[in-house]
Amino acid sequence: MQLTTAQSSLIVLAIYLGFALLELAYTRLFAKDEQTRHDGILEVVSTLMLLVVTQPLILFTVGMIGHAVFPHYANALADIPFLAALALFLVFEDMMQYWWHRASHSFAWLYNLHRAHHNARYMSVRLVYRNNILYYAMMPSIWFAGILVYLGLGWFYAGYLVVKMAVIIGAHSDFAWDKPLYRIKALSPLMWVVERTISTPATHHAHHGRHLSDGAVHYKGNFGNLLFFWDVLFGTAKITRTYPVSYGVENLPLATLGQQLLWPIFPENKDMHADIPGATPARAATPHAIAAD
């Protein structure tokens, strides 16, 4: 059965709300350790901008350009086999996002567009869509997805998005679904495969860890979104089955609200000791507790 766009969106919303409810019950969804007054603003604004403005606008723009310049290619791939469609999306959408994400941690100017996602000193479903508004507008994978949809693969994209977002939402949540499974010896071979195939809380939390001295931290790797396999393939994987003690950005000046949402329109703060209202941690740092024991 093929999903419609509306059905796909509702399922993703249900997955998101499911993890949010688990966090609400077990890890204080709205009161994370070290959250600031800016965090909620960032998360609401960037989420709404992506889902309501940026992503629909990209899909509309690609379709408009396609019909104007390449009308004969509309729905050209609509009848290709499922596995062929899967391969196209994994390469042109998920692998492209891997490289975009990796580039964002390799070039300072691009990291400024991605800084908001890592500025949070906690893990949560709240971070899934948290990024600079321009970061998403420039993300190649969204544009490639738009092209594939124009070529007739919208039927596949709806289901693909459900699977991808389920993995991403689960990987960001601090209700770590993988932790209890690691303790079951009989599941060890299965989890060996799983953690090398898709992003899990353990592998993705490592990417968000604050201190390089923490053995569970690997913020210069573990870039995969749906497939962690790209990290394995391209040599950026670190698998420890452990979780960082704390999260956030190490040894950088505090970022202003404007910088996080709309750098370079709002300039980068370069003063390590700047007093930025709303950006000061609300409480002292405490060890980060992982749920789902």
Side-chain angles (χ1 to χ4, degrees):
M1 182 185 73
Q2 295 178 7
L3 294 176
T4 65
T5 301
Q7 290 171 331
S8 174
S9 299
L10 286 174
I11 294 172
V12 171
L13 177 61
I15 294 168
Y16 186 94
L17 290 177
F19 273 99
L21 287 173
L22 288 171
E23 289 190 24
L24 185 63
Y26 293 99
T27 64
R28 297 178 298 134
L29 175 63
F30 299 113
K32 301 297 187 183
D33 287 340
E34 297 190 79
Q35 71 177 35
T36 75
R37 284 187 289 137
H38 286 172
D39 288 321
I41 298 172
L42 280 163
E43 289 150 6
V44 170
V45 172
S46 57
T47 296
L48 289 177
M49 281 297 300
L50 172 64
L51 300 181
V52 178
V53 179
T54 307
Q55 191 171 41
L57 186 59
I58 289 174
L59 294 175
F60 174 78
T61 301
V62 170
M64 184 177 63
I65 294 173
H67 285 297
V69 183
F70 306 106
H72 48 294
Y73 285 115
N75 298 317
L77 301 180
D79 297 323
I80 66 172
F82 177 89
L83 290 180
L86 175 62
L88 286 172
F89 270 95
L90 288 180
V91 171
F92 288 101
E93 198 279 335
D94 196 55
M95 189 181 74
M96 286 300 103
Q97 189 173 0
Y98 164 87
W99 283 109
W100 173 251
H101 190 188
R102 183 171 175 173
S104 300
H105 286 265
S106 302
F107 302 98
W109 67 272
L110 197 49
Y111 184 73
N112 270 331
L113 292 177
H114 185 49
R115 170 80 184 270
H117 189 66
H118 286 274
N119 218 56
R121 297 187 174 186
Y122 49 85
M123 294 300 294
S124 173
V125 296
R126 292 165 48 179
L127 306 188
V128 170
Y129 302 111
R130 172 175 166 156
N131 253 310
N132 184 297
I133 293 169
L134 300 180
Y135 179 82
Y136 283 125
M138 295 170 59
M139 185 179 285
S141 57
I142 301 179
W143 291 89
F144 276 116
I147 293 171
L148 291 174
V149 169
Y150 176 73
L151 293 174
L153 297 182
W155 61 270
F156 183 87
Y157 187 46
Y160 169 85
L161 207 56
V162 169
V163 175
K164 176 161 184 169
M165 292 313 303
V167 170
I168 292 175
I169 292 167
H172 281 86
S173 176
D174 63 356
F175 188 88
W177 61 263
D178 56 343
K179 187 177 182 181
L181 302 181
Y182 293 138
R183 294 197 294 265
I184 303 174
K185 189 174 181 180
L187 292 180
S188 187
L190 174 62
M191 292 306 294
W192 188 94
V193 174
V194 168
E195 65 193 356
R196 286 164 176 78
T197 304
I198 65 170
S199 293
T200 63
T203 56
H204 197 68
H205 283 214
H207 177 68
H208 280 260
R210 189 185 309 180
H211 301 297
L212 189 60
S213 57
D214 184 340
V217 170
H218 189 46
Y219 48 67
K220 286 296 185 179
N222 293 18
F223 300 116
N225 293 275
L226 169 56
L227 293 188
F228 187 74
F229 172 74
W230 303 127
D231 287 283
V232 176
L233 180 63
F234 298 118
T236 54
K238 181 177 181 179
I239 300 172
T240 67
R241 296 190 177 185
T242 59
Y243 308 84
V245 172
S246 59
Y247 300 94
V249 178
E250 183 177 36
N251 298 327
L252 286 179
L254 291 175
T256 66
L257 179 60
Q259 175 193 347
Q260 292 183 77
L261 277 176
L262 277 172
W263 181 91
I265 296 174
F266 289 90
E268 175 187 2
N269 169 50
K270 296 184 178 181
D271 183 357
M272 185 70 76
H273 305 290
D275 182 15
I276 300 173
T280 304
R283 58 178 64 87
T286 57
H288 188 86
I290 296 292
D293 283 331

